[in-house]
Each structure stands twice: as structure tokens, then as C-alpha cells.
Amino acid sequence: MIDPAPRTIATAVHLPQQATSARGRRLDPRALDSGSFVEAMRDHGTSRPAGLAAYRAWYRDHDPRPLEAIGVSTEPRGEIVRTEIEGLTVKFALRLDDGLESESVVIPMRKRSGGFSRTLCVSSQVGCAMGCRFCETAQMGLLRSLATEEIVEQWRFARFILPRTPEEIAAGGPATGHEIRNIVFMGMGEPMENLDAVLPAVRVLCDRNGPGLAASRIAISTVGRVEGIRRLGAFIQEPGYRGLGLAISVNAPNDAVRDEIMPINRAEPIDALFEAIRAFPKRPSAALCIEYVLIPGVNDRLEHCDELCGRLRGLKCSLNVIPYNPRRDSPWPAPEESTVEAFIGRAIANGQFVKRRGTKGRDVMGACGQLGNPEIRRAGRRGTGV
Ligand code: SF4
């Protein structure tokens, strides 16, 4: 299914300049769930039904006119400056107001019933401070965290504005917009370092009057920030968020291996991480994923697998094995297929439920751990004046 020859399509998608007013400018429906938005608009003299109808029209029908009519700016928070396509995987870069760029990826996922659905991988920061050695994003460091509206805007661009692939357009479908079934916070950045923007974004994305995604269709990935895991544990106790997915990038069975590839482990060792994981509210096993990037010569031995499975015993979780996607100038290659199969087979023999992450988007540096390419770094230097 994956086209071996990726194509880069430079695009600049602009929406028409929208009317703004002083009263609406401060209220961004991308940053507020419908309840908060309607309340805020009532303070500005807009009735509840009018505010709600405007919010719904924008999110459901991509119709900005009712919002404009009540004085709210719908100006896009960025423009698409690059689109890269590999098969049905589409990576796009949004240039933000300050010239920095975020990256997002629309990934096709095959359904058991046939056909496929689309998952959107969003960024929560531009760059990342966590320094994981296997990750492309780490190479650029942290430039800044994204605001709630900049996270939600990635969904809005993917859902309504992002061009479809030439094949899909040729097959007679619409020219823009992708149905998004799932969202994963696995793009650039560490979401737990930006929870003050990420959690409000989850509220907007799950809003029935807005994008309307079920919480169980959203997953937040973390390098394993203990305090963030605790905060998220409190958040999911709220009605409606119980099913929110949590993916923890463990990648090692012990401190010796984890120290080598993930600097965070020196501050928060693996025992402290697993203590936080065990204290996380119990949910269906599908809602907790333990991610394991399999890196040749680092963490791929069968003894590593046994030790890891020992740690996971008694946890309701799925182990997601991700064959390493080499970053630029990587010291390691991708693992051999036989090594991946042996590791997965051993985990199953240990009684562990295992999933294997596909490698969609590797050719456009859109696969897991590959976001943050040289253009983004250049934009970063421009945006920060470095
Ligand atoms: S893997 Fe995630 S947390 Fe680690 S450096 Fe990359 S983006 Fe940051």
C-alpha cells in the first residue's frame, strides 16, 4: 500500500481573511469547549442558542459565517507550507504566527472489517527538550510549546483544509479534508510538559458540539513524566474522559538500557515510572499502551524482553513494539525483521498482549520518532532569530 517514491508538494493554503471585531478577537473557539465559549459570548451579548449554533456550524460544517456574524475571528492559526505524501500517509507542516512550524501526520489504519480509517498524529510542542537519542525531534531541542488553539488547529486543517492525495481526487472524492477517526499526541514534543494546553485541547476535541471525538479515540503519549501521569490520572476521573488512551514510551527493561537512550530516566528512574503507572486508574487494557522502540544492539535481546515482561506482569496493558525508524544521521539501522519477530514471539510466550506498530510514513520522515525535519529546524532558527 505504501508508495515507495514519496512526493513533496509545496502548498500554501489560505482561507479568506475573515472579519474580526474587538469583542470577538479575544474569544477563540479553538481554545474553548462549547460550554465555555457560549458562556463567554453571553457576556458579550450573544444568546446561548446563537453562540452554540455558530460553534457547531464551524466545527461540523466548516462554515465560519455564523461565528463572523457574532464578531468572532475565524482566521486560521497558520498555513500549510509543506505536504509530503507516501501512499495514503500525508505529513503536513503548519507555519505558525511567529514563523515556527508544527508537523502533523494523517495515517491510514487498516480496519478488521476491511477498508481503512485515518488517525491524526498531532504535535504538542515545536521541538522537544527530552533528548531521546533515537528521536529526530530531539535533535532540534525545544523551541516552544503550542497553545491549545494551535493543537486543535492541526485537527481542523486535517479535517477540512488539507488536500487529499492525487489518487483520491482522481477517484472522484473531495479535493480537501480527511475524516479523522483517532488522534494521537505522538508528534513533536512531550505532551506532559504542556498539559495546560493539551488537556483543554482534549476537551475541545471531545466536545459533542465540536469535533465530537470519543475520548477513547484519543491517546496521549509520554516519555514517562511521573507528575504528568498523575495529573492525567486525575483528569480521566472526570465524566467523559475515562477512556482516554495513555501510551508510555518505556523502550527499556532496566535503568542501564534506559539511561543510555532516554536522558529523562536519570531524573525519573524506571522504578518510579512503573510506580506511577501502577497507581494510574484502572481501565480497559487497550487504554494503556507500553511503547517499545526496538533498536538493534540496544534493547532487542530476548533477555530484555523477559525482563520487560516481568515488569508488565499484572498490568492491564498492551505492549506496542515499534521497529526503530532511523532518524537522520542515526547511529543505528532499522532492526532486521527476524529480530522483530523473535522479540514479539518471546513477549507472547511470556503471556503478554502485543501489538506491532506499522512503519507507515518512514520514507517521508513521518513515521514514529521522525518528525522535525531540516526545514522545521530552519524555520525554527528564523522564528527565534537564531
Ligand atoms: S521521543 Fe518524544 S519525548 Fe523523546 S525526544 Fe522525541 S518527541 Fe521528545
Side-chain angles (χ1 to χ4, degrees), residues 124-125 127-139 185-191 193 221-225 249 251 261-264 293 368-371:
S124 55
Q125 298 181 309
C128 184
M130 296 295 105
C132 304
R133 284 190 59 216
F134 50 84
C135 174
E136 179 73 16
T137 308
Q139 309 307 306
F185 283 77
M186 295 183 184
M188 288 196 290
E190 165 55 48
E193 292 287 287
S221 174
T222 175
V223 74
R225 297 309 314 258
S249 201
N251 304 324
I261 51 177
M262 301 178 75
I264 184 66
V293 178
C368 190
Q370 290 187 310
L371 297 191

Side-chain angles (χ1 to χ4, degrees), residues 12-13 24 28 39 64 66 104 112 137 147-148 174 217 222 224 230 277 283 291-292 328:
V13 180
D28 191 331
E39 277 311 305
S104 322
R112 279 204 198 111
T137 308
T148 297
R217 299 248 158 244
T222 175
R230 289 201 189 107
I277 296 173
R283 280 120 28 91
E291 312 255 62
Y292 198 94
R328 289 180 178 81

Side-chain angles (χ1 to χ4, degrees), residues 6-8 84-86 89-91 105 328 361-367 370-371 373:
R7 290 149 292 163
T8 300
E84 297 171 60
I85 300 172
E86 178 188 321
T89 299
V90 184
K91 177 166 111 173
V105 190
R328 289 180 178 81
R362 195 182 263 175
D363 289 345
V364 292
M365 294 299 282
Q370 290 187 310
L371 297 191
N373 61 34

Side-chain angles (χ1 to χ4, degrees), residues 294 300 302 334-346 356:
L294 198 70
D300 61 343
L302 296 182
E336 298 288 340
E337 186 54 30
S338 57
T339 309
V340 179
E341 282 176 10
F343 195 93
I344 289 175
R346 186 67 158 238
R356 176 183 174 153

Side-chain angles (χ1 to χ4, degrees), residues 26-98:
R26 281 174 289 133
L27 295 177
D28 191 331
R30 285 161 283 219
L32 299 169
D33 60 40
S34 58
S36 311
F37 178 77
V38 164
E39 277 311 305
M41 287 309 295
R42 275 176 54 171
D43 293 344
H44 291 285
T46 298
S47 73
R48 185 181 156 76
L52 198 54
Y55 191 93
R56 274 192 192 149
W58 197 49
Y59 275 112
R60 294 190 179 172
D61 307 325
H62 190 38
D63 181 357
R65 290 169 300 181
L67 280 177
E68 289 168 26
I70 57 174
V72 174
S73 169
T74 57
E75 217 174 305
R77 296 295 307 268
E79 61 173 333
I80 299 177
V81 288
R82 255 186 330 284
T83 309
E84 297 171 60
I85 300 172
E86 178 188 321
L88 292 171
T89 299
V90 184
K91 177 166 111 173
F92 63 99
L94 278 184
R95 179 162 302 150
L96 307 168
D97 296 348
D98 58 4

